Amino acid sequence: MHIPAGASQTVELLRFEDALALSGKSGGYDPETWLYVPDFYTEYRYILGTKGRDPLICIGINPSTAAPDDLDNTLKSVARIAEGNGYDSWIMFNVYAQRATRPDDMDRVCNEALHRENMKAFAHILSGIAANGVSPALWAAWGTIIEKRDYLPGCVREMARIGQAYGGRWLCAGKRSAKGHPHHPLYLRKDEKTCAFDVEAYLEAL
């Protein structure tokens, strides 16, 4: 369980560029296998995943306790779905980067500095994939939790703009909610297949 020590505005943030430059130097995991930014456990997380040329990028709402070699059940499901759909790796991103096991503990007000650095991380990963001639596979997987905070839809809209800039393909997996929200990774069948997700239509109706 991760309960935030307080509002993320009270936490000293490491900028994404600085966190990326330091990544892999703290020890405790194999930097040839894992992407982890920042690469130490703290109140926020920009990136967690495995390295490969064609990853499945899962987008949830916010990170919890997972770290390299210590995945929670959600990330174990993400890894299974990625492998079952033929991807060579997976990356977990989040609409909002604050760690909170219970979404009700997330910031009441968006921390614009944290959001800005999170979007830098998202653009960095997508640009690298696109540079390899691969269309980034963006798995919308935030479930109904997007309704928890008023600022979350706006964060998704920015991710959609970044995804479009790098030729991203939006996907979902499992049954969508009555309001059209894409299914959360937890409790999906291990053989669940991804399918196309019209993120623009979804956002218009959101």
Side-chain angles (χ1 to χ4, degrees):
M1 178 73 71
H2 186 100
I3 301 173
S8 67
Q9 289 86 343
T10 66
V11 175
E12 184 175 352
L13 292 179
L14 191 60
R15 293 188 313 160
F16 170 67
E17 292 91 342
D18 296 334
L20 182 65
L22 295 169
S23 184
K25 297 180 181 179
S26 293
Y29 69 95
D30 181 4
E32 297 300 316
T33 299
W34 292 98
L35 290 165
Y36 189 38
V37 186
D39 72 348
F40 55 90
Y41 194 93
T42 188
E43 291 289 315
Y44 58 95
R45 190 186 75 211
Y46 299 129
I47 302 171
L48 173 60
T50 56
K51 292 186 175 180
R53 185 175 182 274
D54 184 19
L56 178 59
I57 299 174
C58 181
I59 303 174
I61 286 295
N62 70 304
S64 183
T65 61
D69 300 313
D70 187 19
L71 302 182
D72 57 21
N73 288 335
T74 295
L75 270 293
K76 290 176 182 176
S77 181
V78 169
R80 287 193 297 268
I81 298 298
E83 182 179 7
N85 280 271
Y87 293 91
D88 65 3
S89 52
W90 57 269
I91 299 174
M92 188 72 208
F93 261 103
N94 290 280
V95 174
Y96 196 64
Q98 182 189 29
R99 282 191 195 265
T101 300
R102 297 180 305 207
D104 285 334
D105 292 330
M106 281 192 297
D107 289 334
R108 294 288 175 181
V109 177
C110 181
N111 181 341
E112 293 296 341
L114 179 61
H115 172 64
R116 182 170 59 251
E117 298 305 318
N118 194 38
M119 294 302 97
K120 288 179 182 177
F122 190 56
H124 171 80
I125 290 296
L126 267 58
S127 66
I129 296 169
N132 288 330
V134 177
S135 177
L138 306 174
W139 173 16
W142 45 78
T144 60
I145 304 171
I146 196 169
E147 299 178 7
K148 290 288 185 180
R149 295 290 183 267
D150 291 342
Y151 57 80
L152 294 172
C155 297
V156 174
R157 288 185 176 93
E158 187 163 354
M159 298 185 92
R161 288 193 294 270
I162 294 170
Q164 183 178 39
Y166 294 105
R169 298 176 291 111
W170 285 88
L171 308 166
C172 64
K175 185 179 179 180
R176 293 167 64 180
S177 76
K179 293 184 179 180
H181 300 311
H183 202 291
H184 189 278
L186 204 56
Y187 307 125
L188 288 175
R189 302 191 317 271
K190 64 180 180 180
D191 61 347
E192 192 79 56
K193 297 302 179 184
T194 59
C195 59
F197 178 65
D198 189 339
V199 71
E200 296 297 335
Y202 168 77
L203 290 171
E204 285 180 8
L206 193 59

